[in-house]
Amino acid sequence: MSSELSKIWLSSPHMGGQEQEFVAKAFEENWIAPLGPNVNGFEEDLQQYLGNDKHIGVLSSGTAAIHLALVQLGVSRGDEVICQSFTFCGSANPIMYQGATPIFVDSEISTWNICPKALEEAIVDRISKGKKPKAIIPVHLYGMPYKVDEVAAVAQKYSIPIIEDAAESLGSTYKSRNCGTFGEFAALSFNGNKIITTSGGGALVCHTKFAKDKTVFYSTQARDAAPHYQHSEIGFNYRMSNISAGIGRGQMKVLDEHVGLRRKMFHFYKSIFETIEGVEVFTEPDDHFFSNHWLSAITVHPELTKGISREDLRLHLDQYNIESRPLWKPMHLQPVFEKMPFYGGQVAEHLFERGLCLPSGSNLSDEDRTRIKKAILEIF
């Protein structure tokens, strides 16, 4: 059956129409480089969106953003950094780039994000072992803000800076304040599947112009101010190109529209599953949380669905050429990280076992939704 039907993707790029204008101008003016008017303009667009008290450096990826935040916080070999376990590997890998050790922390069930109680337990235990963590990396998973106030209270109690992983949450808010503005640093992502895209790219949100300038310095190979190439520090090739930034400038014009369309998909699934016992749609815990619902996700409880599991649903959707995907496999269960310390219970593990992400793109059609609904209702 699937070969006869067009693919419905989990989250595909959605162009707004003005991207080509910015890209064409870059070609006309020969700004085919990791600097230029689009780079500066995209940073200004993001600063205006998030709040003008922030300073933003656009980079090659969200992973690069987290890496440069760790560099600027002085994380080095032998240090420890706390990281939410229930996330994509891009949250954790940069810790290893610096030769540091990730300390993984479980989630809590209401936001699926880092558990403040387990976080404090981890900090207290690491300090007792003589290793005070150098940073904390909480994640706004699938666009859902983490418990910002509670996590901040723990971080402040022990004077540990937060690197806010906002890769999936541009357009989300907590208490009416934009995600990406809560940490000492914050990472954004513009990967092809994100709420807006530059094909590949990211940004580091900084509190000061000094930190933004250091971000640009490190991302352009840490070249000293000299007429020749001189380097006093190790740098990286992480700066965003003017072409990619041009795509980003066009995408910023449709960001709020994309958020609305993603949330429309969330309400679509809420209406389908409200009468299906044993399936829960991931939703905001209360009015303080506003999720962009980058990906709409569900948990399936076989004991209440007459034995139908997450995997049964995934395979059934695949027969209709509908892409769906299990929730992130927790980092502490990954072969590459399985020997790293972990604090908490089994919340993230149970979410992985039962959770599924459903097609959530802002470019899905009524025809796509009809096919998705038919497939879901058929199996249940």
Side-chain angles (χ1 to χ4, degrees):
M1 182 193 301
S2 62
S3 61
E4 303 169 4
L5 299 169
S6 60
K7 183 82 169 185
I8 296 178
W9 298 98
L10 188 71
S11 179
S12 63
H14 185 193
M15 296 295 100
Q18 296 187 61
E19 296 84 1
Q20 286 184 324
E21 297 173 20
F22 292 99
V23 173
K25 191 170 184 181
F27 273 90
E28 288 169 14
E29 298 176 350
N30 203 33
W31 282 108
I32 316 298
L35 77 167
N38 284 335
V39 172
N40 297 334
F42 188 31
E43 290 176 341
E44 290 166 5
D45 292 343
L46 288 164
Q47 284 171 206
Q48 185 174 0
Y49 188 87
L50 292 178
N52 286 319
D53 59 333
K54 297 295 175 284
H55 303 267
I56 296 170
V58 291
L59 305 168
S60 56
S61 68
T63 306
I66 292 175
H67 188 194
L68 293 189
L70 291 168
V71 169
Q72 292 186 69
L73 290 175
V75 173
S76 60
R77 187 167 302 280
D79 288 335
E80 295 185 348
V81 174
I82 290 178
C83 182
Q84 182 170 316
S85 181
F86 193 41
T87 185
F88 174 62
C89 67
S91 305
N93 283 346
I95 301 169
M96 302 292 285
Y97 300 166
Q98 289 302 100
T101 299
I103 308 298
F104 293 114
V105 171
D106 200 8
S107 294
E108 44 78 21
I109 198 62
S110 62
T111 71
W112 296 5
N113 293 314
I114 196 164
C115 174
K117 293 180 180 178
L119 171 62
E120 184 161 21
E121 176 192 340
I123 293 170
V124 170
D125 191 57
R126 300 323 292 178
I127 291 174
S128 74
K129 291 176 166 58
K131 283 282 190 179
K132 180 182 176 180
K134 292 289 286 285
I136 300 166
I137 305 177
V139 187
H140 303 295
L141 204 69
Y142 302 121
M144 185 67 68
Y146 61 80
K147 291 187 173 180
V148 173
D149 289 344
E150 293 178 43
V151 172
V154 175
Q156 291 165 8
K157 181 177 179 180
Y158 297 95
S159 300
I160 302 174
I162 288 175
I163 301 172
E164 179 189 358
D165 187 339
E168 302 171 4
S169 62
L170 186 60
S172 299
T173 63
Y174 175 76
K175 292 186 176 179
S176 300
R177 180 173 163 184
N178 280 304
C179 291
T181 64
F182 297 109
E184 179 77 14
F185 292 96
L188 305 177
S189 173
F190 311 114
N191 191 32
N193 63 357
K194 293 300 188 294
I195 198 104
I196 62 168
T197 183
T198 58
S199 76
L204 186 62
V205 183
C206 308
H207 272 308
T208 65
K209 185 178 184 300
F210 176 81
K212 184 263 177 83
D213 290 343
K214 289 293 284 186
T215 299
V216 174
F217 171 73
Y218 283 122
S219 70
T220 51
Q221 299 289 21
R223 182 183 175 185
D224 293 339
H228 52 277
Y229 282 88
Q230 177 164 305
H231 308 275
S232 303
E233 298 183 69
I234 296 296
F236 309 89
N237 187 17
Y238 281 169
R239 194 70 161 133
M240 181 180 285
S241 80
N242 198 53
I243 299 298
S244 294
I247 299 172
R249 294 212 71 188
Q251 288 273 281
M252 286 299 293
K253 295 185 179 298
V254 292
L255 171 55
D256 288 336
E257 179 185 343
H258 284 194
V259 171
L261 290 167
R262 297 269 176 168
R263 287 179 60 82
K264 178 181 177 180
M265 287 305 301
F266 159 73
H267 289 293
F268 166 73
Y269 290 119
K270 284 281 285 185
S271 68
I272 291 176
F273 289 110
E274 65 183 359
T275 59
I276 298 176
E277 188 180 6
V279 178
E280 296 179 4
V281 180
F282 184 35
T283 189
E284 290 94 335
D286 58 50
D287 290 342
H288 291 319
F289 298 80
F290 177 89
S291 174
N292 64 15
H293 290 290
W294 167 59
L295 291 184
S296 290
I298 59 172
T299 51
V300 182
H301 303 270
E303 66 275 16
L304 300 174
T305 59
K306 300 179 181 178
I308 298 169
S309 68
R310 179 279 313 275
E311 190 62 7
D312 293 329
L313 176 56
R314 187 188 71 80
L315 293 172
H316 180 75
L317 292 173
D318 189 56
Q319 291 180 1
Y320 282 86
N321 212 12
I322 299 169
E323 183 184 24
S324 61
R325 185 177 299 158
L327 301 183
W328 300 122
K329 182 175 182 179
M331 290 298 102
H332 73 280
L333 300 180
Q334 299 285 354
V336 71
F337 291 126
E338 62 187 3
K339 294 182 181 178
M340 302 301 173
F342 170 74
Y343 294 83
Q346 295 181 301
V347 173
E349 188 173 340
H350 288 159
L351 287 169
F352 170 62
E353 291 170 354
R354 299 184 175 206
L356 191 69
C357 295
L358 299 171
S360 307
S362 50
N363 53 357
L364 292 173
S365 65
D366 289 340
E367 183 180 346
D368 293 332
R369 280 184 280 273
T370 298
R371 195 202 311 173
I372 293 167
K373 183 174 181 178
K374 178 182 177 183
I376 290 172
L377 294 179
E378 186 178 273
I379 188 171
F380 287 107

